[in-house]
Amino acid sequence: MSSETRTTSRRRFLGQAGGALLASALPYATLAQNLSANDRIQVAAIGMGIMGFNNCGTTVKVPGVKLVAACDLYTGHLKRAKEVYGNDLVTTPHFEDILDNKSIDAVIISTTDHWHDKIAIAAMKKGKAVYCEKPMVHRLEQGLPMVASQQQTGAICQVGSQRVSSATYLKAKELYEAGAIGQLVMAEAFWDRQSANGAWQYSIPRDASPQTVDWNRFLGDAPRRAFDAERFFHWRNYQDYGTGIAGDLFVHLFSGLHLITSSLGPTRIYTSGGTRYWKDGRDVPDVMAGVYDYPATDKSGPFNLQVRVNFIDGGGGGEQIALVGTEGKMIVRGNSVEVLRSKMAQAPGFGSWDSYATFDKQNQEDFKAWYEQHYAGQTSKNETSRSEWKAPAGYSDHFDHHANFYNAIRTGGKVKEDAAFGFRAAAAGLASNKSLFEQKIVLWDPVNMKLAG
């Protein structure tokens, strides 16, 4: 893009920063008018915990989609699924029953992280379309086999980081590519919380026992141990089943950043953290911070990233991504994009906190005369402005992400977050864990999606 075209685009986008919602997706609310009974997509949910019910609640709002089956290892979850979705809902503790059912077109995988790859690969081999919660995999070595499975089977596979379908993040991407902040030099992201539920201290049902939970099946390839209700219902707190802060929250931030910048991921990763407050037996940190080196791409030069999550934020918590450039700063939070512009003056200025005041009077006069001649006609003050774009009230990127998944199934088109994109986002998080637990810098090859060095 030429400098002149880039400047014109930047002005146009900045001028429209408060404008209408991007056409990020089809008008899904009108799809039902064009669908016949044969067009209905029958979907099953595998994993009916918090995200399982959340995903189902969103997916059934998409026209032409019907939830027909649910799988979970706790009997209470299956009972609740029937209460919410009707007694005709097929329920089972065995995901294989779902995959063997030829009337099911797609599955939503919302299990513990350590079951993602096994179920997703098995589902793709059975010809099912797959919506898999983030992080896509539990361990780095599981990523490439899942990417290969999608490529080999040709299956529709979308990873569940809704920012990739978000109109808000797509707007940020347009502004970024139009040069709204100049050259990107660094990014900052955080997601802080101040609540017990925010720190994964979820409620545990009083009937939790080996009689109501299929504990051995839950363990899968994790180390054998006696039944533990806390490990089953608070699984995010344990490395055996989850990926902690990096896999649960860092991955959302990586996904959004990668979408905006068209980056494939960092090359150098270092993280630190620990358990500062929630000393409840968890073996993952409740405070974690990381620094990352991102290489140049055709859409950006090299830049640095700082990320943090704090589960005991006395300030009340909050979440945002900020991209800092040579001419501005873009802040994405919730469903809004704010651009703060500060383009440097052409002339450097003198005086104030400067060596000019240390010159003798004659040199001050000589310097001033030289300066006025040398910088004649050039601006001496930074050009500043502020603009903000907001999505309409009630907008849901979660709905858009699910709707995009079903649109890809119907059209045979591309999903918004395929296995390669999902793995690259997950890998940055999993490498963050590797750095933390092994106390070392991790080198990563984001192009070939493997450890480097």
Side-chain angles (χ1 to χ4, degrees):
M1 181 183 291
S2 70
S3 176
E4 181 179 354
T5 302
R6 190 178 182 87
T7 299
T8 302
S9 298
R10 177 170 65 246
R11 288 173 180 166
R12 182 174 68 251
F13 282 123
L14 289 173
Q16 296 173 348
L21 181 66
L22 289 174
S24 64
L26 294 174
Y28 293 109
T30 66
L31 276 178
Q33 301 173 10
N34 303 315
L35 298 176
S36 68
N38 292 331
D39 290 324
R40 188 176 72 183
I41 295 174
Q42 300 207 128
V43 63
I46 302 176
M48 290 300 291
I50 296 172
M51 278 311 304
F53 273 97
N54 186 276
N55 280 326
C56 288
T58 298
T59 221
V60 297
K61 294 177 183 177
V62 180
V65 175
K66 181 176 176 59
L67 181 70
V68 298
C71 170
D72 199 85
L73 300 180
Y74 167 53
T75 58
H77 284 162
L78 297 180
K79 181 179 179 182
R80 180 58 179 164
K82 282 184 174 289
E83 290 174 350
V84 175
Y85 295 106
N87 286 325
D88 61 341
L89 185 75
V90 175
T91 59
T92 176
H94 301 118
F95 73 85
E96 294 89 348
D97 295 341
I98 300 287
L99 303 188
D100 288 338
N101 187 333
K102 294 183 179 179
S103 71
I104 293 172
D105 305 301
V107 295
I108 300 173
I109 301 171
S110 309
T111 63
T112 54
D113 298 344
H114 79 305
W115 273 103
H116 283 181
D117 69 312
K118 301 171 189 65
I119 299 175
I121 290 174
M124 286 188 279
K125 289 181 178 179
K126 287 284 188 175
K128 310 297 185 189
V130 171
Y131 183 105
C132 182
E133 260 306 315
K134 55 77 198 163
M136 190 182 83
V137 290
H138 186 228
R139 297 192 299 271
L140 282 170
E141 60 268 24
Q142 297 169 342
L144 286 177
M146 190 158 160
V147 172
S149 181
Q150 181 181 16
Q151 294 172 342
Q152 292 163 6
T153 62
I156 297 290
C157 178
Q158 175 154 292
V159 181
S161 295
Q162 62 267 26
R163 282 166 177 75
V164 179
S165 290
S166 168
T168 306
Y169 279 77
L170 289 170
K171 184 64 177 180
K173 180 181 181 68
E174 286 197 26
L175 290 167
Y176 170 76
E177 291 184 352
I181 62 170
Q183 178 187 335
L184 177 65
V185 293
M186 73 175 301
E188 305 162 327
F190 66 85
W191 195 330
D192 297 335
R193 292 176 170 179
Q194 177 76 340
S195 70
N197 282 344
W200 306 325
Q201 287 278 16
Y202 301 133
S203 303
I204 298 176
R206 305 312 301 161
D207 71 342
S209 71
Q211 286 69 51
T212 59
V213 173
D214 191 338
W215 175 250
N216 286 331
R217 189 167 179 82
F218 165 79
L219 289 177
D221 60 5
R224 300 289 101 182
R225 62 174 63 242
F227 173 76
D228 187 331
E230 285 208 7
R231 281 181 168 260
F232 184 83
F233 289 97
H234 295 175
W235 58 266
R236 284 181 174 83
N237 290 332
Y238 304 97
Q239 296 176 51
D240 286 344
Y241 329 111
T243 49
I245 280 173
D248 195 59
L249 298 179
F250 276 20
V251 168
H252 274 309
L253 303 173
F254 289 130
S255 297
L257 179 68
H258 293 179
L259 174 71
I260 294 170
T261 63
S262 298
S263 297
L264 298 181
T267 54
R268 190 171 182 268
I269 299 154
Y270 178 73
T271 57
S272 181
T275 307
R276 311 304 183 202
Y277 181 84
W278 297 101
K279 301 183 185 298
D280 51 8
R282 68 181 65 200
D283 60 16
V284 295
D286 57 13
V287 173
M288 189 170 178
V291 291
Y292 306 81
D293 291 348
Y294 273 75
T297 69
D298 60 349
K299 295 292 180 66
S300 73
F303 66 92
N304 293 92
L305 167 69
Q306 298 178 171
V307 175
R308 78 160 193 269
V309 168
N310 177 8
F311 277 177
I312 187 63
D313 175 21
E319 175 250 327
Q320 73 173 36
I321 293 178
L323 281 72
V324 184
T326 55
E327 298 179 11
K329 181 176 184 178
M330 181 188 300
I331 303 170
V332 186
R333 61 168 74 88
N335 282 332
S336 73
V337 183
E338 182 181 19
V339 177
L340 305 172
R341 293 269 298 167
S342 181
K343 185 176 180 179
M344 285 185 62
Q346 296 167 307
F350 65 92
S352 186
W353 189 264
D354 179 37
S355 58
Y356 173 79
T358 69
F359 299 171
D360 61 74
K361 288 185 178 181
Q362 184 59 54
N363 269 301
Q364 287 184 2
E365 292 174 3
D366 292 345
F367 180 85
K368 184 177 180 181
W370 169 85
Y371 181 94
E372 290 174 349
Q373 180 182 13
H374 187 76
Y375 293 105
Q378 298 189 30
T379 59
S380 58
K381 291 184 178 181
N382 287 5
E383 299 175 17
T384 62
S385 65
R386 176 190 177 276
S387 59
E388 185 175 15
W389 180 93
K390 289 186 177 181
Y395 172 72
S396 169
D397 55 6
H398 199 236
F399 175 82
D400 265 6
H401 205 46
H402 279 258
N404 284 329
F405 172 59
Y406 295 112
N407 185 55
I409 294 173
R410 286 198 173 93
T411 65
K414 293 183 178 181
V415 295
K416 295 295 183 179
E417 185 179 10
D418 63 10
F421 188 108
F423 179 44
R424 286 186 168 110
L430 299 177
S432 298
N433 279 338
K434 183 178 180 67
S435 174
L436 177 75
F437 295 125
E438 297 181 15
Q439 299 184 15
K440 68 179 185 181
I441 292 171
V442 174
L443 302 180
W444 177 251
D445 177 352
V447 175
N448 295 304
M449 294 177 277
K450 63 181 182 180
L451 291 169

Short mmCIF file of all heavy atoms in Angstrom, two decimals, residues 173-217:
data_model
loop_
_atom_site.label_atom_id
_atom_site.label_comp_id
_atom_site.label_asym_id
_atom_site.label_seq_id
_atom_site.Cartn_x
_atom_site.Cartn_y
_atom_site.Cartn_z
N LYS A 173 -8.82 -4.44 13.67
CA LYS A 173 -7.92 -4.91 12.60
C LYS A 173 -7.93 -3.94 11.43
O LYS A 173 -6.88 -3.59 10.88
CB LYS A 173 -8.36 -6.31 12.15
CG LYS A 173 -7.51 -6.93 11.04
CD LYS A 173 -8.06 -8.30 10.67
CE LYS A 173 -7.22 -8.96 9.58
NZ LYS A 173 -5.88 -9.33 10.07
N GLU A 174 -9.12 -3.47 11.03
CA GLU A 174 -9.21 -2.52 9.93
C GLU A 174 -8.48 -1.22 10.27
O GLU A 174 -7.73 -0.68 9.44
CB GLU A 174 -10.67 -2.21 9.62
CG GLU A 174 -11.38 -3.33 8.90
CD GLU A 174 -12.66 -2.85 8.24
OE1 GLU A 174 -12.76 -1.65 7.93
OE2 GLU A 174 -13.56 -3.68 8.05
N LEU A 175 -8.71 -0.72 11.47
CA LEU A 175 -8.04 0.51 11.88
C LEU A 175 -6.53 0.33 11.91
O LEU A 175 -5.77 1.19 11.47
CB LEU A 175 -8.55 0.96 13.25
CG LEU A 175 -10.00 1.47 13.30
CD1 LEU A 175 -10.49 1.57 14.73
CD2 LEU A 175 -10.10 2.82 12.60
N TYR A 176 -6.10 -0.80 12.44
CA TYR A 176 -4.66 -1.09 12.53
C TYR A 176 -4.03 -1.13 11.14
O TYR A 176 -2.99 -0.52 10.88
CB TYR A 176 -4.45 -2.41 13.26
CG TYR A 176 -3.03 -2.91 13.19
CD1 TYR A 176 -2.03 -2.33 13.96
CD2 TYR A 176 -2.68 -3.95 12.33
CE1 TYR A 176 -0.72 -2.78 13.88
CE2 TYR A 176 -1.38 -4.41 12.25
CZ TYR A 176 -0.40 -3.82 13.02
OH TYR A 176 0.89 -4.26 12.93
N GLU A 177 -4.68 -1.86 10.22
CA GLU A 177 -4.12 -2.01 8.87
C GLU A 177 -4.18 -0.70 8.09
O GLU A 177 -3.41 -0.51 7.14
CB GLU A 177 -4.85 -3.13 8.13
CG GLU A 177 -4.55 -4.50 8.71
CD GLU A 177 -5.19 -5.64 7.93
OE1 GLU A 177 -6.00 -5.35 7.03
OE2 GLU A 177 -4.89 -6.81 8.23
N ALA A 178 -5.09 0.20 8.48
CA ALA A 178 -5.16 1.50 7.83
C ALA A 178 -4.12 2.47 8.38
O ALA A 178 -4.01 3.60 7.90
CB ALA A 178 -6.56 2.10 8.00
N GLY A 179 -3.36 2.04 9.38
CA GLY A 179 -2.30 2.88 9.92
C GLY A 179 -2.74 3.83 11.02
O GLY A 179 -2.10 4.86 11.26
N ALA A 180 -3.81 3.50 11.73
CA ALA A 180 -4.36 4.40 12.74
C ALA A 180 -3.37 4.72 13.85
O ALA A 180 -3.45 5.79 14.45
CB ALA A 180 -5.63 3.80 13.34
N ILE A 181 -2.45 3.80 14.13
CA ILE A 181 -1.48 4.05 15.21
C ILE A 181 -0.05 4.12 14.70
O ILE A 181 0.90 4.11 15.49
CB ILE A 181 -1.59 2.98 16.32
CG1 ILE A 181 -1.26 1.59 15.78
CG2 ILE A 181 -2.97 3.01 16.97
CD1 ILE A 181 -1.12 0.53 16.86
N GLY A 182 0.11 4.21 13.39
CA GLY A 182 1.46 4.22 12.84
C GLY A 182 2.08 2.84 12.90
O GLY A 182 1.39 1.82 12.73
N GLN A 183 3.36 2.77 13.16
CA GLN A 183 4.07 1.49 13.24
C GLN A 183 3.93 0.90 14.63
O GLN A 183 4.27 1.54 15.63
CB GLN A 183 5.55 1.68 12.92
CG GLN A 183 6.38 0.39 13.02
CD GLN A 183 7.85 0.65 12.86
OE1 GLN A 183 8.26 1.62 12.23
NE2 GLN A 183 8.67 -0.22 13.45
N LEU A 184 3.42 -0.33 14.73
CA LEU A 184 3.29 -1.00 16.02
C LEU A 184 4.66 -1.29 16.60
O LEU A 184 5.53 -1.84 15.93
CB LEU A 184 2.52 -2.31 15.83
CG LEU A 184 2.34 -3.18 17.07
CD1 LEU A 184 1.47 -2.49 18.11
CD2 LEU A 184 1.73 -4.53 16.69
N VAL A 185 4.86 -0.94 17.88
CA VAL A 185 6.13 -1.22 18.54
C VAL A 185 5.95 -2.12 19.77
O VAL A 185 6.86 -2.86 20.14
CB VAL A 185 6.87 0.07 18.94
CG1 VAL A 185 7.33 0.83 17.71
CG2 VAL A 185 6.00 0.96 19.82
N MET A 186 4.77 -2.05 20.40
CA MET A 186 4.53 -2.95 21.52
C MET A 186 3.04 -3.09 21.78
O MET A 186 2.23 -2.27 21.32
CB MET A 186 5.24 -2.47 22.79
CG MET A 186 4.65 -1.26 23.47
SD MET A 186 5.50 -0.91 25.03
CE MET A 186 5.23 -2.44 25.92
N ALA A 187 2.68 -4.16 22.46
CA ALA A 187 1.29 -4.40 22.85
C ALA A 187 1.27 -4.75 24.32
O ALA A 187 2.23 -5.32 24.87
CB ALA A 187 0.68 -5.52 22.02
N GLU A 188 0.15 -4.41 24.97
CA GLU A 188 -0.03 -4.68 26.40
C GLU A 188 -1.40 -5.29 26.59
O GLU A 188 -2.39 -4.79 26.03
CB GLU A 188 0.06 -3.38 27.21
CG GLU A 188 1.33 -2.59 26.97
CD GLU A 188 1.22 -1.14 27.43
OE1 GLU A 188 0.11 -0.57 27.33
OE2 GLU A 188 2.24 -0.58 27.87
N ALA A 189 -1.49 -6.36 27.35
CA ALA A 189 -2.77 -7.01 27.57
C ALA A 189 -2.87 -7.49 29.02
O ALA A 189 -1.88 -7.95 29.59
CB ALA A 189 -2.95 -8.19 26.61
N PHE A 190 -4.07 -7.38 29.58
CA PHE A 190 -4.27 -7.92 30.92
C PHE A 190 -5.71 -8.38 31.08
O PHE A 190 -6.60 -7.96 30.36
CB PHE A 190 -3.91 -6.90 32.00
CG PHE A 190 -4.81 -5.68 32.05
CD1 PHE A 190 -6.00 -5.69 32.77
CD2 PHE A 190 -4.44 -4.52 31.40
CE1 PHE A 190 -6.82 -4.58 32.82
CE2 PHE A 190 -5.26 -3.39 31.45
CZ PHE A 190 -6.45 -3.42 32.16
N TRP A 191 -5.91 -9.30 32.02
CA TRP A 191 -7.24 -9.79 32.37
C TRP A 191 -7.22 -10.12 33.86
O TRP A 191 -6.84 -11.21 34.27
CB TRP A 191 -7.58 -11.03 31.55
CG TRP A 191 -9.05 -11.38 31.58
CD1 TRP A 191 -9.94 -11.15 32.59
CD2 TRP A 191 -9.78 -12.05 30.56
NE1 TRP A 191 -11.17 -11.61 32.26
CE2 TRP A 191 -11.12 -12.17 31.02
CE3 TRP A 191 -9.45 -12.55 29.31
CZ2 TRP A 191 -12.12 -12.79 30.25
CZ3 TRP A 191 -10.43 -13.16 28.57
CH2 TRP A 191 -11.75 -13.28 29.03
N ASP A 192 -7.60 -9.16 34.67
CA ASP A 192 -7.52 -9.30 36.12
C ASP A 192 -8.91 -9.57 36.72
O ASP A 192 -9.93 -9.13 36.17
CB ASP A 192 -6.93 -8.03 36.75
CG ASP A 192 -5.50 -7.78 36.32
OD1 ASP A 192 -4.82 -8.76 35.95
OD2 ASP A 192 -5.06 -6.62 36.34
N ARG A 193 -8.92 -10.26 37.85
CA ARG A 193 -10.18 -10.64 38.48
C ARG A 193 -10.11 -10.43 39.99
O ARG A 193 -9.02 -10.42 40.57
CB ARG A 193 -10.51 -12.11 38.19
CG ARG A 193 -10.84 -12.39 36.73
CD ARG A 193 -11.05 -13.87 36.47
NE ARG A 193 -11.59 -14.12 35.14
CZ ARG A 193 -11.85 -15.32 34.65
NH1 ARG A 193 -11.60 -16.40 35.38
NH2 ARG A 193 -12.36 -15.46 33.44
N GLN A 194 -11.29 -10.32 40.61
CA GLN A 194 -11.36 -10.16 42.06
C GLN A 194 -12.63 -10.83 42.56
O GLN A 194 -13.59 -10.22 43.00
CB GLN A 194 -11.34 -8.66 42.43
CG GLN A 194 -11.48 -8.35 43.92
CD GLN A 194 -10.21 -8.58 44.71
OE1 GLN A 194 -9.33 -9.32 44.28
NE2 GLN A 194 -10.10 -7.97 45.87
N SER A 195 -12.65 -12.18 42.45
CA SER A 195 -13.79 -12.95 42.96
C SER A 195 -13.37 -14.40 43.08
O SER A 195 -12.44 -14.86 42.40
CB SER A 195 -14.99 -12.84 42.02
OG SER A 195 -14.77 -13.54 40.80
N ALA A 196 -14.10 -15.13 43.93
CA ALA A 196 -13.81 -16.56 44.09
C ALA A 196 -14.12 -17.33 42.81
O ALA A 196 -13.32 -18.17 42.37
CB ALA A 196 -14.61 -17.12 45.26
N ASN A 197 -15.26 -17.04 42.19
CA ASN A 197 -15.60 -17.72 40.94
C ASN A 197 -14.61 -17.37 39.84
O ASN A 197 -14.25 -18.22 39.02
CB ASN A 197 -17.02 -17.34 40.50
CG ASN A 197 -18.08 -18.10 41.28
OD1 ASN A 197 -17.79 -19.09 41.92
ND2 ASN A 197 -19.30 -17.61 41.22
N GLY A 198 -14.15 -16.12 39.84
CA GLY A 198 -13.15 -15.72 38.85
C GLY A 198 -11.85 -16.46 38.99
O GLY A 198 -11.11 -16.64 38.03
N ALA A 199 -11.59 -16.93 40.22
CA ALA A 199 -10.38 -17.72 40.49
C ALA A 199 -10.68 -19.22 40.45
O ALA A 199 -9.91 -20.02 40.96
CB ALA A 199 -9.81 -17.35 41.85
N TRP A 200 -11.82 -19.58 39.81
CA TRP A 200 -12.20 -20.98 39.57
C TRP A 200 -12.61 -21.73 40.83
O TRP A 200 -12.54 -22.96 40.88
CB TRP A 200 -11.07 -21.74 38.85
CG TRP A 200 -10.61 -21.09 37.59
CD1 TRP A 200 -11.36 -20.41 36.68
CD2 TRP A 200 -9.28 -21.06 37.07
NE1 TRP A 200 -10.60 -19.96 35.64
CE2 TRP A 200 -9.31 -20.33 35.85
CE3 TRP A 200 -8.06 -21.57 37.52
CZ2 TRP A 200 -8.17 -20.12 35.07
CZ3 TRP A 200 -6.93 -21.35 36.76
CH2 TRP A 200 -6.99 -20.63 35.56
N GLN A 201 -13.06 -21.02 41.85
CA GLN A 201 -13.60 -21.67 43.04
C GLN A 201 -15.09 -21.92 42.85
O GLN A 201 -15.93 -21.36 43.55
CB GLN A 201 -13.35 -20.77 44.27
CG GLN A 201 -11.91 -20.71 44.73
CD GLN A 201 -11.55 -21.91 45.60
OE1 GLN A 201 -12.24 -22.92 45.63
NE2 GLN A 201 -10.45 -21.81 46.33
N TYR A 202 -15.41 -22.78 41.89
CA TYR A 202 -16.80 -23.01 41.54
C TYR A 202 -17.52 -23.88 42.56
O TYR A 202 -16.91 -24.65 43.30
CB TYR A 202 -16.88 -23.67 40.16
CG TYR A 202 -16.24 -22.87 39.05
CD1 TYR A 202 -15.38 -23.48 38.13
CD2 TYR A 202 -16.50 -21.51 38.90
CE1 TYR A 202 -14.80 -22.75 37.10
CE2 TYR A 202 -15.92 -20.77 37.88
CZ TYR A 202 -15.07 -21.41 36.98
OH TYR A 202 -14.49 -20.68 35.97
N SER A 203 -18.85 -23.77 42.56
CA SER A 203 -19.68 -24.58 43.46
C SER A 203 -19.56 -26.06 43.12
O SER A 203 -19.46 -26.44 41.95
CB SER A 203 -21.14 -24.15 43.35
OG SER A 203 -21.30 -22.78 43.64
N ILE A 204 -19.57 -26.89 44.16
CA ILE A 204 -19.50 -28.34 43.99
C ILE A 204 -20.81 -28.94 44.50
O ILE A 204 -21.21 -28.68 45.63
CB ILE A 204 -18.31 -28.94 44.78
CG1 ILE A 204 -16.99 -28.38 44.23
CG2 ILE A 204 -18.32 -30.46 44.70
CD1 ILE A 204 -15.76 -28.83 44.99
N PRO A 205 -21.52 -29.72 43.67
CA PRO A 205 -22.80 -30.28 44.11
C PRO A 205 -22.62 -31.23 45.28
O PRO A 205 -21.61 -31.93 45.38
CB PRO A 205 -23.31 -31.00 42.85
CG PRO A 205 -22.08 -31.28 42.04
CD PRO A 205 -21.16 -30.15 42.31
N ARG A 206 -23.61 -31.28 46.14
CA ARG A 206 -23.51 -32.08 47.36
C ARG A 206 -23.54 -33.58 47.09
O ARG A 206 -23.15 -34.38 47.95
CB ARG A 206 -24.63 -31.71 48.34
CG ARG A 206 -24.71 -30.21 48.69
CD ARG A 206 -23.36 -29.62 49.06
NE ARG A 206 -22.75 -30.30 50.20
CZ ARG A 206 -21.48 -30.26 50.51
NH1 ARG A 206 -20.62 -29.61 49.72
NH2 ARG A 206 -21.03 -30.88 51.59
N ASP A 207 -24.01 -33.99 45.91
CA ASP A 207 -24.07 -35.43 45.64
C ASP A 207 -22.85 -35.93 44.88
O ASP A 207 -22.82 -37.08 44.43
CB ASP A 207 -25.35 -35.77 44.87
CG ASP A 207 -25.31 -35.29 43.42
OD1 ASP A 207 -24.48 -34.40 43.10
OD2 ASP A 207 -26.10 -35.80 42.60
N ALA A 208 -21.83 -35.10 44.75
CA ALA A 208 -20.63 -35.52 44.02
C ALA A 208 -19.98 -36.71 44.70
O ALA A 208 -19.62 -36.65 45.88
CB ALA A 208 -19.64 -34.36 43.93
N SER A 209 -19.82 -37.81 43.97
CA SER A 209 -19.28 -39.05 44.55
C SER A 209 -18.89 -39.98 43.41
O SER A 209 -19.24 -39.73 42.25
CB SER A 209 -20.33 -39.73 45.43
OG SER A 209 -21.36 -40.29 44.62
N PRO A 210 -18.20 -41.07 43.72
CA PRO A 210 -17.89 -42.04 42.67
C PRO A 210 -19.14 -42.64 42.02
O PRO A 210 -19.07 -43.21 40.93
CB PRO A 210 -17.08 -43.12 43.41
CG PRO A 210 -16.48 -42.38 44.56
CD PRO A 210 -17.52 -41.40 44.98
N GLN A 211 -20.29 -42.53 42.69
CA GLN A 211 -21.53 -43.06 42.13
C GLN A 211 -22.16 -42.11 41.09
O GLN A 211 -22.91 -42.53 40.22
CB GLN A 211 -22.56 -43.32 43.24
CG GLN A 211 -22.25 -44.56 44.10
CD GLN A 211 -21.01 -44.37 44.96
OE1 GLN A 211 -20.90 -43.36 45.68
NE2 GLN A 211 -20.09 -45.33 44.91
N THR A 212 -21.87 -40.82 41.22
CA THR A 212 -22.46 -39.85 40.29
C THR A 212 -21.45 -39.31 39.27
O THR A 212 -21.84 -38.63 38.33
CB THR A 212 -23.05 -38.65 41.06
OG1 THR A 212 -22.01 -38.03 41.83
CG2 THR A 212 -24.17 -39.12 41.99
N VAL A 213 -20.16 -39.60 39.48
CA VAL A 213 -19.10 -39.13 38.58
C VAL A 213 -18.31 -40.33 38.06
O VAL A 213 -17.88 -41.18 38.84
CB VAL A 213 -18.14 -38.17 39.32
CG1 VAL A 213 -16.94 -37.83 38.44
CG2 VAL A 213 -18.86 -36.89 39.75
N ASP A 214 -18.14 -40.40 36.74
CA ASP A 214 -17.31 -41.45 36.15
C ASP A 214 -15.85 -41.00 36.25
O ASP A 214 -15.26 -40.49 35.30
CB ASP A 214 -17.71 -41.68 34.69
CG ASP A 214 -17.08 -42.94 34.11
OD1 ASP A 214 -16.04 -43.39 34.65
OD2 ASP A 214 -17.59 -43.46 33.10
N TRP A 215 -15.28 -41.22 37.42
CA TRP A 215 -13.97 -40.68 37.75
C TRP A 215 -12.86 -41.28 36.89
O TRP A 215 -11.99 -40.56 36.39
CB TRP A 215 -13.69 -40.90 39.23
CG TRP A 215 -12.32 -40.49 39.68
CD1 TRP A 215 -11.30 -41.31 40.07
CD2 TRP A 215 -11.81 -39.15 39.79
NE1 TRP A 215 -10.19 -40.57 40.42
CE2 TRP A 215 -10.48 -39.24 40.25
CE3 TRP A 215 -12.36 -37.89 39.54
CZ2 TRP A 215 -9.69 -38.12 40.46
CZ3 TRP A 215 -11.57 -36.77 39.75
CH2 TRP A 215 -10.24 -36.90 40.20
N ASN A 216 -12.86 -42.60 36.72
CA ASN A 216 -11.79 -43.23 35.95
C ASN A 216 -11.78 -42.76 34.50
O ASN A 216 -10.72 -42.56 33.91
CB ASN A 216 -11.93 -44.76 36.01
CG ASN A 216 -11.53 -45.31 37.37
OD1 ASN A 216 -10.68 -44.74 38.06
ND2 ASN A 216 -12.15 -46.42 37.76
N ARG A 217 -12.94 -42.57 33.94
CA ARG A 217 -13.00 -42.07 32.57
C ARG A 217 -12.55 -40.62 32.51
O ARG A 217 -11.87 -40.21 31.56
CB ARG A 217 -14.43 -42.22 32.03
CG ARG A 217 -14.54 -41.95 30.54
CD ARG A 217 -15.89 -42.41 30.01
NE ARG A 217 -16.05 -42.14 28.59
CZ ARG A 217 -15.56 -42.90 27.62
NH1 ARG A 217 -14.86 -43.99 27.91
NH2 ARG A 217 -15.76 -42.59 26.35
#
